[in-house]
Amino acid sequence: MYRLLTTTLLTTTCFGPMTLGATPTSADLQEVLVLGSDLELTGSPVNATEGVVYDLQLATRPMSRPGELLEFVPGLIATQHSGEGKGNQYFMRGFNLDHGTDLSIQVDGLPVNMPTHGHGHGYADLNFLIPELVDTLRYRKGPYYGDTGDFATAGSTEFEYQNRLAEGSLNLTLGEEGYQRVYAGDTLGDGRGALTLAGALTRYDGPWELDQDMDKRQGLARYHHDDGRDQWRVTAAFYDNDWTATDQIPQRAVTSGQLSRWATVDDSNGGDTHRHSLSTDWSRTLDDDRIWEAGAWYIDYGLDLYSNFTYFQEHPDRGDQFHQYDDRNVYGLEGSYSQPVAIGDVSGQLTVGGQWRADDIDLALNWTENREHRETVRTDQVEQSMTGVYAELEQRWRPHWRSVASLRIDHYRYDVDAGLTINSGRGNETQLSPAVNVIYSPPGDTEYFASAGRGFHSNDARGAVIRRDPVSDEAIETVDPIAAADSLEIGLRTAVLPRTRLSATAFVMDLESELIYVGDAGNTEALNPSRRYGAEFSALWSPVSWLLVDGNVTFTRARLRHTDEDRIPNAVSRTGSLGLAIDGGNGMTGGLRLRYLGEAPLSESGRPRSPDTFLVNASGSWQMTSRLNLSVELINALDSDEHDITYFYESRLPDEATPVEDIHFHPAEPRMLRFTVRAEL
């Protein structure tokens, strides 16, 4: 178990940001949690809700899709409602994050969130992630960090791939409902330079009456050079996926027996997507603790998505299917410099840096039937950029007191060329984001944290210049290009109990406005300002050397302000999880995961409410020989009859005379077994 389960807190402030592409060094890694230890408090986190999860721990978590790796973040839940090729829907800290707004996600320093997206601003599709390559998952809650900007209000996450694989492997996975997956990866060369090649093919039909017929192709090639002083790497990656979707269905049709839980209304929904990227980064670490970093990247991204959520409400003759098209080129640069500083008798570390991102986007929204074009709703060509610079200073004032202060400035520019000329326009806005964190670490086994900061999410550039609704032709108000979020947080972590570490945090956040682009309608909906406050509790417990237990619960109250109907749709008030990781010896390991997603209001009035859900996944692994491993995953082990996600809106079925307001849901997939054979090359 000492080999298998290791959790480390990354020191993000005392020594500056972690070297790009580097394996964590002793300066980066200040806390190592090993089963059987006393779980002492070491390291220098900024608050009680940040952490890093490593590959060996990630491997023990049973999961049905790549996006569920984010559920290692305490209190974060990832769900799905429209096929395995569409981005997950995320929930955290009382946010219905939709497909990514207010949660910044990165992989190897490249952004996953897509602003001004055809399906929704901030759309973050993690289906391109290759789990076997993940080395670390780093997570941070709240807007308290200088090196994160757009979307990092509720928090930020970053996956880092391995630079070199310890050994090559060939994995074959087979499961129920037509699940098939093959992965292969290896590193060539073991000197200063090494080439890593990896790829995966996945097919999956699912439990639906209409086969999902998902066909996913992934690949990665990376060259990594490390001479002890300089590190650099070049990475090329590709991802292509196409699928047929079984979207959410109306509760009334299931209750009446007209549809089964696994049925669909429109069997031509689905889509195809791709993400191809090329990136390079470099870092230099000098003897006097100065660190230089620089990186550049390019992403070719596209999505064709066909959906029908209202069935025959708008077009009784042909149905309401619509097509959302997004095709873009994304360019980015980033760099930072870090060095020790002393101001009087106070020592510290100063980091300065900047990021630039530019998106060149073609967008369209069309009415379709069986994926055939019927009517164009709107087309747009958008050019936008986000430029950010920051400075972050960490200082140790006394032996037990330190602070981390940062200041960030972001500038958002946009130019929209709309098919409807009146909806064209350009503009810009600047956002100033200060933050300060104070940490008290007295002698003993408890540390205390206090944080205050401002973050923001940008808004869809089309909503910032729109004048006429493209469907109704009614006048419509523009929205602010940027919505700021002010947040306060206090917390503690403690190891006063033997073999146990506990953390607790309370927070409050005010968001200037809940602004969303409604991609299904082609316009922007502006909600009121909002306030969220809540508490989070997490625990790690290793009662014996072969067992690690982790759990967390969150409670959040989210409300719109200045309105009588103040509920935020799909803002979940309670989440929880409990995990077990077991090393049985003789090459036998196992994992169990219980996930709870609480009920939520489905409209601003607070009624109706979605049901809460409780799912259990399990896994086990057996090292049969030195080079051969067999593992099994049991998804939804209790075969729970739960909803993966729930909505409330009007729709009209073919035999209905008028639209009906109803609950619509996507069921959690039934109990399924998956077996994986892993052979080391």
Side-chain angles (χ1 to χ4, degrees), residues 66-276:
E68 290 180 6
L69 285 178
L70 281 175
E71 293 187 354
F72 271 96
V73 180
L76 193 155
I77 302 294
T79 65
Q80 181 57 270
H81 76 100
S82 187
E84 300 298 317
K86 188 177 177 182
N88 294 101
Q89 187 154 352
Y90 309 104
F91 300 89
M92 187 175 75
R93 284 198 165 185
F95 278 91
N96 167 20
L97 296 165
D98 195 40
H99 298 289
T101 301
D102 293 298
L103 176 66
S104 171
I105 305 175
Q106 293 187 335
V107 175
D108 273 345
L110 276 66
V112 179
N113 303 79
M114 295 293 170
T116 311
H117 188 271
H119 184 66
H121 188 68
Y123 183 84
D125 178 6
L126 263 176
N127 284 300
F128 71 91
L129 193 72
I130 303 177
E132 290 89 346
L133 298 181
V134 175
D135 185 44
T136 60
L137 165 60
R138 177 187 182 187
Y139 62 86
R140 303 184 294 185
K141 302 281 189 71
Y144 312 121
Y145 304 87
D147 60 349
T148 56
D150 199 5
F151 303 117
T153 47
S156 60
T157 61
E158 181 172 0
F159 291 93
E160 188 75 22
Y161 279 162
Q162 300 174 60
N163 288 320
R164 308 180 185 206
L165 302 176
E167 66 276 321
S169 67
L170 175 65
N171 300 0
L172 175 63
T173 303
L174 297 175
E176 295 181 89
E177 310 295 351
Y179 188 88
Q180 306 167 53
R181 185 174 188 271
V182 61
Y183 159 85
D186 200 2
T187 295
L188 310 176
D190 56 5
R192 292 184 175 182
L195 176 66
T196 297
L197 301 173
L201 300 173
T202 308
R203 290 192 57 84
Y204 182 44
D205 290 333
W208 324 106
E209 294 178 2
L210 172 69
D211 284 347
Q212 184 175 221
D213 197 26
M214 184 193 75
D215 185 8
K216 178 164 68 171
R217 292 85 65 195
Q218 301 162 272
L220 178 137
R222 164 171 291 172
Y223 182 80
H224 176 249
H225 175 89
D226 183 358
D227 62 12
R229 181 189 184 189
D230 291 278
Q231 290 195 58
W232 59 270
R233 64 185 181 185
V234 178
T235 304
F238 76 87
Y239 161 69
D240 293 277
N241 195 356
D242 54 78
W243 71 99
T244 299
T246 298
D247 289 330
Q248 63 261 24
I249 54 178
Q251 180 66 61
R252 62 187 183 276
V254 177
T255 301
S256 68
Q258 182 179 354
L259 296 176
S260 78
R261 287 172 53 82
W262 316 112
T264 185
V265 178
D266 189 334
D267 61 8
S268 63
N269 291 338
D272 60 81
T273 187
H274 71 267
R275 177 186 167 111
H276 308 147

Side-chain angles (χ1 to χ4, degrees), residues 194-392:
L195 176 66
T196 297
L197 301 173
L201 300 173
T202 308
R203 290 192 57 84
Y204 182 44
D205 290 333
W208 324 106
E209 294 178 2
L210 172 69
D211 284 347
Q212 184 175 221
D213 197 26
M214 184 193 75
D215 185 8
K216 178 164 68 171
R217 292 85 65 195
Q218 301 162 272
L220 178 137
R222 164 171 291 172
Y223 182 80
H224 176 249
H225 175 89
D226 183 358
D227 62 12
R229 181 189 184 189
D230 291 278
Q231 290 195 58
W232 59 270
R233 64 185 181 185
V234 178
T235 304
F238 76 87
Y239 161 69
D240 293 277
N241 195 356
D242 54 78
W243 71 99
T244 299
T246 298
D247 289 330
Q248 63 261 24
I249 54 178
Q251 180 66 61
R252 62 187 183 276
V254 177
T255 301
S256 68
Q258 182 179 354
L259 296 176
S260 78
R261 287 172 53 82
W262 316 112
T264 185
V265 178
D266 189 334
D267 61 8
S268 63
N269 291 338
D272 60 81
T273 187
H274 71 267
R275 177 186 167 111
H276 308 147
S277 64
L278 180 65
S279 63
T280 182
D281 51 60
W282 163 84
S283 68
R284 171 174 290 177
T285 304
L286 303 176
D287 294 338
D288 55 0
D289 292 329
R290 289 183 294 143
I291 301 173
W292 291 91
E293 297 181 338
W297 42 264
Y298 163 74
I299 301 172
D300 166 31
Y301 169 86
L303 173 70
D304 281 280
L305 183 64
Y306 297 86
S307 307
N308 185 350
F309 304 134
T310 55
Y311 318 126
F312 293 89
Q313 177 173 323
E314 301 295 332
H315 304 98
D317 55 336
R318 68 168 189 253
D320 296 349
Q321 186 183 77
F322 56 92
H323 168 225
Q324 292 165 317
Y325 171 80
D326 188 300
D327 185 73
R328 70 178 66 203
N329 294 300
V330 192
Y331 310 87
L333 296 171
E334 61 181 341
S336 67
Y337 171 72
S338 178
Q339 71 169 41
V341 295
I343 302 175
D345 296 331
V346 180
S347 62
Q349 189 86 3
L350 174 66
T351 301
V352 295
Q355 299 115 3
W356 171 80
R357 169 180 177 166
D359 291 64
D360 186 0
I361 320 166
D362 287 331
L363 298 158
L365 176 64
N366 307 300
W367 290 115
T368 56
E369 181 182 8
N370 293 321
R371 302 198 186 189
E372 295 293 330
H373 181 272
R374 294 298 184 186
E375 181 183 350
T376 298
V377 178
R378 72 176 298 172
T379 60
D380 301 271
Q381 291 183 320
V382 181
E383 294 181 358
Q384 67 176 71
S385 65
M386 184 72 75
T387 304
V389 294
Y390 66 92
E392 188 170 81

